[in-house]
Amino acid sequence: MNLSSIKLLYKTLSLLLLLTVFSPIGNAKGQEYSTSTEVPNGVEMADTMRSNGKIYVVVAVILSIFGGMVFYMVSIDRKISKMEREEKI
Amino acid sequence: MEKLIAKSWWKILAVAILIYTIIGGFLFDVPRLIVLNESIRNLHFHVPMWFGMIILLLISVVYAIKTLRSGSLINDLYSIEFANAGILFGVLGIISGMLWANFTWGTYWSGDPKQNASAIGLLIYFAYLILRNSMNDRHMKARISAIYNIFAFACLIPLLFILPRLTESLHPGNGGNPGFNSYDLDSNLRKVFYVAIIGWTLLGVWVATLKIRLRKLELRKNEFI
């Protein structure tokens, strides 16, 4: 993998992570069975990560673990690419 | 193939698909089924392991045939590394399946025809690895393991796709009704499931190609020293 594709990969990764954390997925439909989002005085806060039985937290944890794995694989990939280039010279 | 390995678009595609799989697999609405409950979401993680395994092992067997036709050790290298990745997927599939079975069928191993058949299939492939390691001559190793590889893949197809369908099985889509029709595979599940197969398979290909590239370097280095 060359440098520009690494950049593209990380851009895609971080964009998708951002989209997840602030995503509206499941919010609209989740309301009917989620009670944990209801605040006593009805004030709505940034509750996404606390709603739906905190499933978003699990998703975030898995995504960060997966992100770490991908980071590691990319670094191995780059190391091998470097070795292949050095061999050709 | 060589040029495609060096490209990075499909690796980015794999990562993007898997991120989508994790998000969609956990958060999209799924059918409410008895016994299965939320564990239906395992469809996006357990089942693609087997699809990925079959595709990786198919690539491996194609390279085994190429090895026999050309006698080239490079083709043998592709064959063994794709088999390794396929076996890894199979082991992950059987472990994830046992976990899922414990909470839905009541026990880790219920002697279900498909469980038994996939265990036999994996054992055949373990024997492939042992057979390879028992030989020192590289050309002999390449030829004999290529022949065994073809035999192993030919065994795997009836074991996984034909025999379990001839009898009662706990697995959906077995015991007489082939395909996914008996799965409650609604459109929401399909949206994630089909792309998940592509994503996981591409990840397996990535793992395999990393090892292929490393071992190619190793081979060349040893020959020139």
Side-chain angles (χ1 to χ4, degrees), chain A residues 71-81, chain B residues 210 213-214:
Chain A
F71 175 80
Y72 196 72
M73 276 184 71
V74 168
S75 68
I76 297 172
D77 199 305
R78 291 189 65 186
K79 175 94 184 160
I80 296 174
S81 296
Chain B
L210 279 181
R213 288 162 67 193
L214 252 186

Side-chain angles (χ1 to χ4, degrees), chain B residues 63-103:
Chain B
Y63 276 102
I65 295 167
K66 278 189 172 182
T67 310
L68 288 176
R69 288 173 68 101
S70 66
S72 131
L73 288 177
I74 291 294
N75 282 331
D76 179 54
L77 191 63
Y78 278 86
S79 185
I80 174 64
E81 288 309 339
F82 273 104
N84 271 335
I87 291 166
L88 171 71
F89 270 51
V91 170
L92 292 176
I94 219 160
I95 292 171
S96 59
M98 279 168 72
L99 271 171
W100 195 4
N102 189 34
F103 296 103

Side-chain angles (χ1 to χ4, degrees), chain A residues 5 13 29 77 81 84 87, chain B residues 8 11 29 206 213 220:
Chain A
S5 56
L13 258 175
K29 282 180 183 168
D77 199 305
S81 296
E84 283 169 346
E87 201 201 28
Chain B
S8 46
K11 296 165 191 168
D29 279 338
W206 190 6
R213 288 162 67 193
R220 280 190 215 125

